[in-house]
Amino acid sequence: MSPNPFSIGAAASVWWAVLVLKGSIMSSKLYVGNLPYSVNDASLHQNFSEYGTVTSARVMTDRDDGRSKGFGFVEMGSPAEAQAAITGLHGHTVDGRALVVNVARPKEDRGTGGGGGGGYRPRY
C-alpha cells in the first residue's frame, strides 16, 4: 500500500492545529458590532473598502420590522485586508458609537429547537 500523498504527518498536524488555535491563520470574515442604526449595507461596504476588497457587507436586520440589529458582517478579499480593517476600524467612532471589529466566529449549532409548548393538560 502506497503512502497517502495528502497526509501531512502527526507532527505537522499538531503544528497546524496550534496555528489555527492561536489565530495565525485568520479568516477574512469580520464581525462588526455597535453599529449606529443609520448604517446600511452600502455604507458598511464603503467604510471597509478603504482597507481592501470587500466581498460582501451585510447589516443584520430584524425579520419582522426590517430595522437594524446594530451589528453586521463584512467579508474582505484576503486575511491581510481583514487584519488591516480590524486595525483601522476597531474602536473607530461612527455617529458617537465606537465600532467593535473582530474576526467572525463560526455560527454555533443551536440544535433542532424543540421543547416548549406542552399543549393542554387538564387538572384533576
Side-chain angles (χ1 to χ4, degrees):
M1 181 172 194
S2 63
N4 182 349
F6 298 105
S7 175
I8 59 175
S13 295
V14 170
W15 175 79
W16 184 260
V18 168
L19 281 177
V20 170
L21 291 173
K22 284 189 149 194
S24 296
I25 299 173
M26 190 175 106
S27 170
S28 56
K29 188 168 186 178
L30 303 174
Y31 164 82
V32 186
N34 205 29
L35 285 172
Y37 297 111
S38 60
V39 172
N40 60 25
D41 293 352
S43 60
L44 188 63
H45 186 283
Q46 181 180 4
N47 284 320
F48 277 79
S49 65
E50 182 177 328
Y51 298 94
T53 303
V54 176
T55 306
S56 65
R58 182 151 185 233
V59 174
M60 304 313 289
T61 55
D62 185 274
R63 76 177 110 206
D64 295 328
D65 61 17
R67 293 191 320 195
S68 169
K69 289 186 174 185
F71 71 95
F73 295 94
V74 174
E75 190 162 358
M76 302 297 291
S78 72
E81 292 172 333
Q83 185 57 53
I86 290 170
T87 303
L89 291 173
H90 180 74
H92 181 77
T93 304
V94 176
D95 291 343
R97 299 182 75 153
L99 297 181
V100 174
V101 182
N102 52 40
V103 176
R105 293 186 302 221
K107 189 173 182 178
E108 292 181 11
D109 182 20
R110 292 198 200 179
T112 59
Y120 174 73
R121 294 183 188 183
R123 293 184 183 188
Y124 293 106

